[in-house]
CSV table of all heavy atoms in Angstrom, one decimal:
chain,number,residue,atom,x,y,z
A,503,HIS,N,-15.3,1.0,9.4
A,503,HIS,CA,-15.2,2.4,9.8
A,503,HIS,C,-15.0,3.3,8.6
A,503,HIS,O,-14.5,2.9,7.6
A,503,HIS,CB,-14.1,2.6,10.8
A,503,HIS,CG,-14.4,1.9,12.1
A,503,HIS,ND1,-14.9,2.6,13.2
A,503,HIS,CD2,-14.2,0.6,12.5
A,503,HIS,CE1,-15.0,1.7,14.2
A,503,HIS,NE2,-14.6,0.5,13.8
A,504,PRO,N,-15.4,4.6,8.7
A,504,PRO,CA,-15.2,5.6,7.6
A,504,PRO,C,-13.8,5.7,7.2
A,504,PRO,O,-13.6,6.1,6.0
A,504,PRO,CB,-15.8,6.9,8.2
A,504,PRO,CG,-16.7,6.4,9.3
A,504,PRO,CD,-16.2,5.2,9.9
A,505,ASP,N,-12.8,5.4,8.0
A,505,ASP,CA,-11.4,5.5,7.6
A,505,ASP,C,-10.9,4.2,7.0
A,505,ASP,O,-9.7,4.0,6.8
A,505,ASP,CB,-10.5,5.9,8.7
A,505,ASP,CG,-10.4,4.9,9.9
A,505,ASP,OD1,-11.2,3.9,9.8
A,505,ASP,OD2,-9.7,5.1,10.8
A,506,CYS,N,-11.9,3.3,6.7
A,506,CYS,CA,-11.6,2.0,6.0
A,506,CYS,C,-11.0,1.0,6.9
A,506,CYS,O,-10.4,0.0,6.4
A,506,CYS,CB,-10.8,2.2,4.7
A,506,CYS,SG,-11.8,3.1,3.4
A,507,ARG,N,-11.1,1.2,8.2
A,507,ARG,CA,-10.7,0.1,9.1
A,507,ARG,C,-11.8,-0.9,9.2
A,507,ARG,O,-13.0,-0.5,9.4
A,507,ARG,CB,-10.3,0.6,10.5
A,507,ARG,CG,-9.0,1.4,10.6
A,507,ARG,CD,-8.7,1.9,12.0
A,507,ARG,NE,-9.8,2.8,12.4
A,507,ARG,CZ,-10.5,2.7,13.6
A,507,ARG,NH1,-10.2,1.7,14.4
A,507,ARG,NH2,-11.4,3.6,13.9
A,508,VAL,N,-11.5,-2.2,9.1
A,508,VAL,CA,-12.5,-3.2,9.3
A,508,VAL,C,-12.2,-3.9,10.6
A,508,VAL,O,-11.1,-4.5,10.8
A,508,VAL,CB,-12.5,-4.3,8.2
A,508,VAL,CG1,-13.5,-5.3,8.4
A,508,VAL,CG2,-12.7,-3.6,6.8
A,509,ILE,N,-13.1,-3.8,11.6
A,509,ILE,CA,-12.9,-4.3,12.9
A,509,ILE,C,-14.0,-5.4,13.1
A,509,ILE,O,-15.2,-5.2,12.9
A,509,ILE,CB,-13.1,-3.2,14.0
A,509,ILE,CG1,-12.2,-2.0,13.7
A,509,ILE,CG2,-12.9,-3.8,15.4
A,509,ILE,CD1,-10.7,-2.4,13.8
A,510,VAL,N,-13.5,-6.6,13.5
A,510,VAL,CA,-14.3,-7.8,13.8
A,510,VAL,C,-14.2,-8.1,15.3
A,510,VAL,O,-13.2,-8.5,15.8
A,510,VAL,CB,-13.9,-9.0,12.9
A,510,VAL,CG1,-14.8,-10.2,13.2
A,510,VAL,CG2,-14.0,-8.6,11.4
A,511,SER,N,-15.3,-8.0,16.0
A,511,SER,CA,-15.4,-8.3,17.4
A,511,SER,C,-16.0,-9.7,17.6
A,511,SER,O,-17.0,-10.0,17.1
A,511,SER,CB,-16.3,-7.2,18.1
A,511,SER,OG,-16.4,-7.6,19.5
A,512,SER,N,-15.2,-10.5,18.3
A,512,SER,CA,-15.6,-11.9,18.4
A,512,SER,C,-15.4,-12.4,19.8
A,512,SER,O,-14.5,-11.9,20.6
A,512,SER,CB,-14.9,-12.8,17.4
A,512,SER,OG,-13.5,-12.7,17.7
A,513,PRO,N,-16.1,-13.5,20.3
A,513,PRO,CA,-15.9,-14.0,21.6
A,513,PRO,C,-14.5,-14.6,21.7
A,513,PRO,O,-13.9,-15.1,20.7
A,513,PRO,CB,-17.0,-15.1,21.7
A,513,PRO,CG,-18.0,-14.8,20.6
A,513,PRO,CD,-17.2,-14.1,19.5
A,514,VAL,N,-14.0,-14.7,22.9
A,514,VAL,CA,-12.6,-15.2,23.1
A,514,VAL,C,-12.5,-16.7,22.7
A,514,VAL,O,-11.5,-17.1,22.1
A,514,VAL,CB,-12.2,-15.1,24.6
A,514,VAL,CG1,-10.9,-15.8,24.9
A,514,VAL,CG2,-12.2,-13.6,25.1
A,515,ASP,N,-13.6,-17.4,22.9
A,515,ASP,CA,-13.5,-18.9,22.5
A,515,ASP,C,-13.7,-19.2,21.1
A,515,ASP,O,-13.7,-20.3,20.7
A,515,ASP,CB,-14.5,-19.7,23.4
A,515,ASP,CG,-15.9,-19.2,23.3
A,515,ASP,OD1,-16.1,-18.2,22.5
A,515,ASP,OD2,-16.8,-19.8,23.8
A,516,ALA,N,-14.0,-18.2,20.2
A,516,ALA,CA,-14.2,-18.4,18.8
A,516,ALA,C,-12.8,-18.6,18.2
A,516,ALA,O,-11.9,-17.8,18.4
A,516,ALA,CB,-14.9,-17.2,18.1
A,517,ASN,N,-12.6,-19.6,17.4
A,517,ASN,CA,-11.3,-19.8,16.8
A,517,ASN,C,-11.2,-19.0,15.5
A,517,ASN,O,-12.2,-18.5,15.0
A,517,ASN,CB,-11.0,-21.3,16.5
A,517,ASN,CG,-12.0,-22.0,15.6
A,517,ASN,OD1,-12.4,-21.4,14.5
A,517,ASN,ND2,-12.5,-23.2,15.9
A,518,ASN,N,-10.0,-18.9,14.9
A,518,ASN,CA,-9.7,-18.1,13.8
A,518,ASN,C,-10.5,-18.5,12.6
A,518,ASN,O,-11.0,-17.7,11.8
A,518,ASN,CB,-8.2,-18.1,13.4
A,518,ASN,CG,-7.4,-17.4,14.5
A,518,ASN,OD1,-7.9,-16.6,15.2
A,518,ASN,ND2,-6.1,-17.7,14.6
A,519,GLU,N,-10.7,-19.9,12.4
A,519,GLU,CA,-11.4,-20.4,11.2
A,519,GLU,C,-12.9,-19.9,11.3
A,519,GLU,O,-13.5,-19.6,10.3
A,519,GLU,CB,-11.4,-21.9,11.2
A,519,GLU,CG,-10.0,-22.5,10.8
A,519,GLU,CD,-9.0,-22.3,11.9
A,519,GLU,OE1,-9.3,-22.2,13.1
A,519,GLU,OE2,-7.8,-22.3,11.6
A,520,GLU,N,-13.5,-19.9,12.5
A,520,GLU,CA,-14.9,-19.5,12.6
A,520,GLU,C,-15.0,-18.0,12.3
A,520,GLU,O,-15.9,-17.6,11.6
A,520,GLU,CB,-15.4,-19.7,14.1
A,520,GLU,CG,-15.5,-21.2,14.4
A,520,GLU,CD,-15.8,-21.4,15.9
A,520,GLU,OE1,-15.6,-20.5,16.7
A,520,GLU,OE2,-16.3,-22.5,16.3
A,521,VAL,N,-14.0,-17.2,12.7
A,521,VAL,CA,-14.1,-15.8,12.5
A,521,VAL,C,-13.9,-15.5,11.0
A,521,VAL,O,-14.6,-14.7,10.4
A,521,VAL,CB,-13.0,-15.0,13.3
A,521,VAL,CG1,-12.9,-13.6,12.9
A,521,VAL,CG2,-13.2,-15.2,14.8
A,522,LEU,N,-12.9,-16.2,10.3
A,522,LEU,CA,-12.7,-16.0,8.9
A,522,LEU,C,-13.9,-16.4,8.1
A,522,LEU,O,-14.3,-15.8,7.1
A,522,LEU,CB,-11.5,-16.8,8.5
A,522,LEU,CG,-10.1,-16.2,8.6
A,522,LEU,CD1,-9.0,-17.2,8.4
A,522,LEU,CD2,-9.9,-15.0,7.7
A,523,SER,N,-14.5,-17.5,8.5
A,523,SER,CA,-15.7,-18.0,7.8
A,523,SER,C,-16.8,-16.9,7.9
A,523,SER,O,-17.5,-16.7,6.9
A,523,SER,CB,-16.2,-19.3,8.4
A,523,SER,OG,-17.4,-19.7,7.8
A,524,ALA,N,-17.1,-16.4,9.1
A,524,ALA,CA,-18.1,-15.4,9.2
A,524,ALA,C,-17.8,-14.1,8.4
A,524,ALA,O,-18.7,-13.5,7.8
A,524,ALA,CB,-18.2,-15.0,10.7
A,525,VAL,N,-16.5,-13.7,8.4
A,525,VAL,CA,-16.2,-12.5,7.6
A,525,VAL,C,-16.3,-12.7,6.1
A,525,VAL,O,-16.8,-11.9,5.4
A,525,VAL,CB,-14.7,-12.1,8.0
A,525,VAL,CG1,-14.2,-11.0,7.0
A,525,VAL,CG2,-14.6,-11.6,9.4
A,526,LYS,N,-15.9,-13.9,5.6
A,526,LYS,CA,-16.0,-14.2,4.2
A,526,LYS,C,-17.5,-14.2,3.8
A,526,LYS,O,-17.8,-13.8,2.6
A,526,LYS,CB,-15.3,-15.6,3.9
A,526,LYS,CG,-13.8,-15.5,4.0
A,526,LYS,CD,-13.2,-16.9,3.7
A,526,LYS,CE,-11.7,-16.8,3.7
A,526,LYS,NZ,-11.1,-18.1,3.5
A,527,LYS,N,-18.4,-14.7,4.6
A,527,LYS,CA,-19.8,-14.7,4.3
A,527,LYS,C,-20.3,-13.3,4.1
A,527,LYS,O,-21.3,-13.1,3.3
A,527,LYS,CB,-20.6,-15.4,5.4
A,527,LYS,CG,-20.4,-16.9,5.4
A,527,LYS,CD,-21.2,-17.5,6.5
A,527,LYS,CE,-21.0,-19.1,6.6
A,527,LYS,NZ,-21.7,-19.7,7.7
A,528,ARG,N,-19.7,-12.3,4.7
A,528,ARG,CA,-20.1,-10.9,4.6
A,528,ARG,C,-19.2,-10.2,3.6
A,528,ARG,O,-19.2,-8.9,3.6
A,528,ARG,CB,-20.1,-10.2,5.9
A,528,ARG,CG,-21.1,-10.8,7.0
A,528,ARG,CD,-22.5,-10.7,6.6
A,528,ARG,NE,-23.0,-9.4,6.3
A,528,ARG,CZ,-23.3,-8.5,7.2
A,528,ARG,NH1,-23.2,-8.8,8.5
A,528,ARG,NH2,-23.8,-7.3,6.8
A,529,GLY,N,-18.4,-10.9,2.9
A,529,GLY,CA,-17.4,-10.3,2.0
A,529,GLY,C,-17.9,-9.3,1.1
A,529,GLY,O,-17.3,-8.2,0.9
A,530,ARG,N,-19.0,-9.5,0.4
A,530,ARG,CA,-19.6,-8.6,-0.5
A,530,ARG,C,-20.0,-7.3,0.2
A,530,ARG,O,-19.7,-6.2,-0.3
A,530,ARG,CB,-20.8,-9.2,-1.2
A,530,ARG,CG,-21.4,-8.2,-2.3
A,530,ARG,CD,-22.6,-8.9,-3.0
A,530,ARG,NE,-23.2,-7.9,-3.9
A,530,ARG,CZ,-24.2,-8.3,-4.8
A,530,ARG,NH1,-24.7,-9.5,-4.7
A,530,ARG,NH2,-24.7,-7.4,-5.6
A,531,TRP,N,-20.6,-7.4,1.3
A,531,TRP,CA,-21.1,-6.3,2.1
A,531,TRP,C,-19.9,-5.4,2.5
A,531,TRP,O,-19.9,-4.2,2.4
A,531,TRP,CB,-21.9,-6.7,3.3
A,531,TRP,CG,-22.3,-5.5,4.2
A,531,TRP,CD1,-23.3,-4.7,4.0
A,531,TRP,CD2,-21.6,-5.1,5.4
A,531,TRP,NE1,-23.4,-3.7,5.0
A,531,TRP,CE2,-22.3,-4.0,5.9
A,531,TRP,CE3,-20.5,-5.6,6.1
A,531,TRP,CZ2,-21.9,-3.3,7.0
A,531,TRP,CZ3,-20.1,-4.9,7.2
A,531,TRP,CH2,-20.8,-3.8,7.7
A,532,ILE,N,-18.8,-6.1,3.0
A,532,ILE,CA,-17.6,-5.4,3.5
A,532,ILE,C,-17.0,-4.7,2.3
A,532,ILE,O,-16.6,-3.5,2.4
A,532,ILE,CB,-16.6,-6.4,4.1
A,532,ILE,CG1,-17.2,-7.0,5.4
A,532,ILE,CG2,-15.3,-5.7,4.4
A,532,ILE,CD1,-16.3,-8.2,5.9
A,533,TYR,N,-16.9,-5.4,1.1
A,533,TYR,CA,-16.3,-4.7,0.0
A,533,TYR,C,-17.0,-3.5,-0.4
A,533,TYR,O,-16.5,-2.4,-0.8
A,533,TYR,CB,-16.2,-5.7,-1.2
A,533,TYR,CG,-15.9,-5.1,-2.5
A,533,TYR,CD1,-14.6,-4.7,-2.8
A,533,TYR,CD2,-16.9,-4.9,-3.5
A,533,TYR,CE1,-14.3,-4.1,-4.0
A,533,TYR,CE2,-16.6,-4.2,-4.7
A,533,TYR,CZ,-15.3,-3.9,-4.9
A,533,TYR,OH,-15.0,-3.2,-6.1
A,534,GLU,N,-18.4,-3.6,-0.5
A,534,GLU,CA,-19.2,-2.4,-0.9
A,534,GLU,C,-19.1,-1.3,0.1
A,534,GLU,O,-19.0,-0.1,-0.3
A,534,GLU,CB,-20.7,-2.9,-1.0
A,534,GLU,CG,-20.9,-3.8,-2.2
A,534,GLU,CD,-22.3,-4.3,-2.3
A,534,GLU,OE1,-23.0,-4.2,-1.2
A,534,GLU,OE2,-22.7,-4.9,-3.3
A,535,GLN,N,-19.0,-1.6,1.4
A,535,GLN,CA,-18.8,-0.5,2.4
A,535,GLN,C,-17.4,0.2,2.2
A,535,GLN,O,-17.3,1.4,2.2
A,535,GLN,CB,-18.8,-1.1,3.8
A,535,GLN,CG,-20.2,-1.6,4.2
A,535,GLN,CD,-21.2,-0.5,4.5
A,535,GLN,OE1,-20.9,0.4,5.3
A,535,GLN,NE2,-22.3,-0.5,3.8
A,536,LEU,N,-16.4,-0.6,2.0
A,536,LEU,CA,-15.1,-0.1,1.8
A,536,LEU,C,-15.0,0.8,0.5
A,536,LEU,O,-14.5,1.9,0.5
A,536,LEU,CB,-14.0,-1.2,1.7
A,536,LEU,CG,-13.6,-1.9,2.9
A,536,LEU,CD1,-12.8,-3.1,2.7
A,536,LEU,CD2,-12.9,-1.0,3.9
A,537,ARG,N,-15.7,0.3,-0.6
A,537,ARG,CA,-15.7,1.0,-1.8
A,537,ARG,C,-16.4,2.4,-1.6
A,537,ARG,O,-15.8,3.4,-2.1
A,537,ARG,CB,-16.5,0.2,-2.9
A,537,ARG,CG,-16.6,0.9,-4.2
A,537,ARG,CD,-17.7,0.2,-5.1
A,537,ARG,NE,-19.0,0.2,-4.4
A,537,ARG,CZ,-20.0,-0.6,-4.7
A,537,ARG,NH1,-19.9,-1.5,-5.7
A,537,ARG,NH2,-21.1,-0.4,-4.1
A,538,ASP,N,-17.5,2.4,-0.9
A,538,ASP,CA,-18.2,3.7,-0.7
A,538,ASP,C,-17.4,4.6,0.2
A,538,ASP,O,-17.3,5.8,-0.1
A,538,ASP,CB,-19.6,3.4,-0.1
A,538,ASP,CG,-20.5,2.7,-1.0
A,538,ASP,OD1,-20.3,2.7,-2.2
A,538,ASP,OD2,-21.5,2.1,-0.5
A,539,PHE,N,-16.8,4.1,1.2
A,539,PHE,CA,-16.0,5.0,2.1
A,539,PHE,C,-14.7,5.5,1.4
A,539,PHE,O,-14.3,6.6,1.6
A,539,PHE,CB,-15.6,4.2,3.4
A,539,PHE,CG,-16.7,4.1,4.4
A,539,PHE,CD1,-16.9,2.9,5.1
A,539,PHE,CD2,-17.4,5.2,4.7
A,539,PHE,CE1,-17.9,2.8,6.0
A,539,PHE,CE2,-18.4,5.1,5.7
A,539,PHE,CZ,-18.7,3.9,6.3
A,540,ARG,N,-14.1,4.7,0.5
A,540,ARG,CA,-13.0,5.1,-0.2
A,540,ARG,C,-13.3,6.3,-1.2
A,540,ARG,O,-12.5,7.2,-1.4
A,540,ARG,CB,-12.3,3.9,-0.9
A,540,ARG,CG,-11.6,3.0,0.0
A,540,ARG,CD,-11.3,1.7,-0.7
A,540,ARG,NE,-10.5,0.8,0.3
A,540,ARG,CZ,-10.4,-0.5,0.1
A,540,ARG,NH1,-10.9,-1.1,-0.9
A,540,ARG,NH2,-9.7,-1.2,1.0
A,541,LYS,N,-14.5,6.2,-1.8
A,541,LYS,CA,-14.9,7.3,-2.6
A,541,LYS,C,-15.0,8.6,-1.8
A,541,LYS,O,-14.7,9.7,-2.3
A,541,LYS,CB,-16.2,7.0,-3.3
A,541,LYS,CG,-16.1,5.9,-4.4
A,541,LYS,CD,-17.5,5.6,-5.0
A,541,LYS,CE,-17.4,4.6,-6.1
A,541,LYS,NZ,-18.7,4.3,-6.6
A,542,GLN,N,-15.6,8.5,-0.6
A,542,GLN,CA,-15.7,9.6,0.3
A,542,GLN,C,-14.3,10.2,0.7
A,542,GLN,O,-14.1,11.4,0.8
A,542,GLN,CB,-16.5,9.3,1.5
A,542,GLN,CG,-17.9,8.9,1.3
A,542,GLN,CD,-18.7,8.4,2.5
A,542,GLN,OE1,-18.3,8.7,3.6
A,542,GLN,NE2,-19.7,7.6,2.3
A,543,LEU,N,-13.4,9.2,0.9
A,543,LEU,CA,-12.0,9.7,1.4
A,543,LEU,C,-11.3,10.5,0.3
A,543,LEU,O,-10.4,11.2,0.7
A,543,LEU,CB,-11.2,8.4,1.8
A,543,LEU,CG,-11.5,7.8,3.1
A,543,LEU,CD1,-10.8,6.5,3.3
A,543,LEU,CD2,-11.2,8.7,4.3
A,544,GLU,N,-11.7,10.3,-0.9
A,544,GLU,CA,-11.0,11.1,-2.0
A,544,GLU,C,-11.2,12.6,-1.8
A,544,GLU,O,-10.4,13.4,-2.2
A,544,GLU,CB,-11.6,10.7,-3.3
A,544,GLU,CG,-11.2,9.3,-3.8
A,544,GLU,CD,-11.7,9.0,-5.1
A,544,GLU,OE1,-11.8,9.9,-6.0
A,544,GLU,OE2,-12.1,7.8,-5.4
A,545,PHE,N,-12.2,12.9,-1.0
A,545,PHE,CA,-12.5,14.3,-0.8
A,545,PHE,C,-12.4,14.7,0.7
A,545,PHE,O,-12.8,15.7,1.1
A,545,PHE,CB,-14.0,14.6,-1.2
A,545,PHE,CG,-14.3,14.2,-2.6
A,545,PHE,CD1,-14.9,13.0,-2.9
A,545,PHE,CD2,-13.8,15.0,-3.7
A,545,PHE,CE1,-15.2,12.6,-4.2
A,545,PHE,CE2,-14.1,14.6,-5.0
A,545,PHE,CZ,-14.8,13.4,-5.2
Side-chain angles (χ1 to χ4, degrees):
H503 292 264
D505 64 355
C506 294
R507 286 180 300 129
V508 180
I509 306 297
V510 179
S511 176
S512 60
V514 174
D515 58 356
N517 60 44
N518 292 338
E519 288 72 23
E520 291 173 340
V521 173
L522 275 170
S523 177
V525 171
K526 287 179 180 178
K527 287 179 181 178
R528 300 296 304 279
R530 180 176 179 178
W531 176 82
I532 294 170
Y533 168 75
E534 290 174 348
Q535 292 288 302
L536 287 171
R537 180 193 61 196
D538 293 340
F539 281 135
R540 284 164 179 164
K541 288 181 180 177
Q542 296 173 22
L543 283 174
E544 291 181 36
F545 308 98

